[in-house]
Amino acid sequence: MPLQIIKSPSKMQALAESLRRKGKIIGLVPTMGAIHEGHLRLVDIAVRKSDFVIASIFVNPTQFGPREDFSKYPRAFKSDCQKLEKAGVNVIFHPSVGDIYPENYSTFVDVGEMTTILEGTRRPGHFRGVATVCAKLFNITKPHIAVFGQKDGQQLAVLKRMVRDLNFDLKIIKGPIVRTSTGVAVSSRHSYLSAEGLEKAKVIYGSLKLAEKLIRNGIRNSRNIEAHMRNLIKSVPGAKIDYISFNRWDDLQPVRKLSGRVMISLVVIIKNVRLLDNIIINAK
Ligand code: PAF
């Protein structure tokens, strides 16, 4: 079946409804375009777990702050479509800003405390925009499953909470972080980094691997682990730590003494590019 590109929310809804009536399992991969290996891995998961795969491409203005890169955000619609079609996507939902936020639009989803920590402290309102657009995408594409990458770990946890709290009839699936051969987490913001910047960025995953090793060796005090991570990152000139954080996976409560599933996340700024990464470990 050739790839279809649908711009109108009502057409998308009508197609999703007819697929559901035929008993098809719909998988959704929401994206803002600039498709890379990380997205394609999410599409693979959707292809395996559903009969019909929808990928959305929509650079969502409500999740960008006033000083963020909405207009500069990489856009490559034609090559995105080629990559997604090759990966097995059946429909690309590509609405305009006016389709998603018509005049006098006034309804937003606020997932609460989880959105005010970590990235929420640096990007106020970001998760309100993410939750709102995802709620709309879920209502428009009517998926049975929606696949999101672990790379944006807080986003994933926030969306899982929204789906539970608002009884959306779908399952959120976590896709793995795709890394370059040197361990750098692949992201759309990579295109902003020079080869030198990418080389420096290796230290981010290096510090997460170090944390993992310390935990394997029995260290459970997050302050102690953080100090080792900071020392390693500081050894790379020009790598500036924004934050390092230890949070319980699922509800994102900060943890001092590690136990159970914990997300260790950090942001390092290299040449003005904010690079976000995490691992989720089980500290038994
Ligand atoms: O992760 C992203 O690309 C975006 O935050 C998402 C989930 C597509 C919502 O705009």
Side-chain angles (χ1 to χ4, degrees), residues 32-35 57 73-83:
M32 297 207 297
I35 299 302
I57 298 184
Y73 196 84
R75 288 163 172 88
F77 186 66
K78 221 169 151 193
S79 69
D80 285 350
C81 291
Q82 285 160 357
K83 290 178 194 167

Side-chain angles (χ1 to χ4, degrees), residues 132-184:
T132 301
V133 80
C134 287
K136 289 179 64 86
L137 290 171
F138 295 162
N139 285 330
I140 295 167
T141 63
K142 303 177 187 263
H144 297 84
I145 61 160
V147 194
F148 293 87
Q150 184 193 315
K151 161 94 182 12
D152 294 305
Q154 184 177 11
Q155 168 171 284
L156 187 61
V158 165
L159 292 174
K160 272 174 172 262
R161 176 67 66 87
M162 177 186 84
V163 162
R164 190 205 68 177
D165 287 358
L166 296 183
N167 304 91
F168 277 99
D169 188 14
L170 61 97
K171 193 165 172 226
I172 300 268
I173 295 183
K174 166 160 74 68
I177 298 180
V178 174
R179 299 183 180 282
T180 65
S181 58
T182 58
V184 180

Side-chain angles (χ1 to χ4, degrees), residues 179-232:
R179 299 183 180 282
T180 65
S181 58
T182 58
V184 180
V186 172
S187 94
S188 310
R189 292 196 163 86
H190 263 177
S191 57
Y192 304 150
L193 274 182
S194 62
E196 189 199 350
L198 270 175
E199 178 62 26
K200 288 181 192 282
K202 276 178 5 190
V203 75
I204 302 172
Y205 188 48
S207 73
L208 288 168
K209 295 297 283 178
L210 173 64
E212 206 172 28
K213 186 169 149 206
L214 294 169
I215 293 163
R216 255 201 322 272
N217 291 345
I219 299 180
R220 292 291 179 271
N221 182 329
S222 63
R223 292 258 166 99
N224 190 340
I225 299 168
E226 181 176 338
H228 281 88
M229 292 171 75
R230 283 186 179 272
N231 282 339
L232 178 67

Side-chain angles (χ1 to χ4, degrees), residues 31-34 58-75 97 101 108 119 122-131 133 155 188-189 192:
T31 83
M32 297 207 297
F58 178 65
V59 186
N60 174 34
T62 63
Q63 69 188 77
F64 288 80
R67 284 192 306 277
E68 291 182 20
D69 52 1
F70 174 69
S71 58
K72 268 197 348 197
Y73 196 84
R75 288 163 172 88
V97 171
Y101 301 111
F108 288 87
E119 285 301 282
R122 306 301 193 263
R123 308 180 68 188
H126 170 70
F127 290 110
R128 181 177 183 257
V130 170
V133 80
Q155 168 171 284
S188 310
R189 292 196 163 86
Y192 304 150

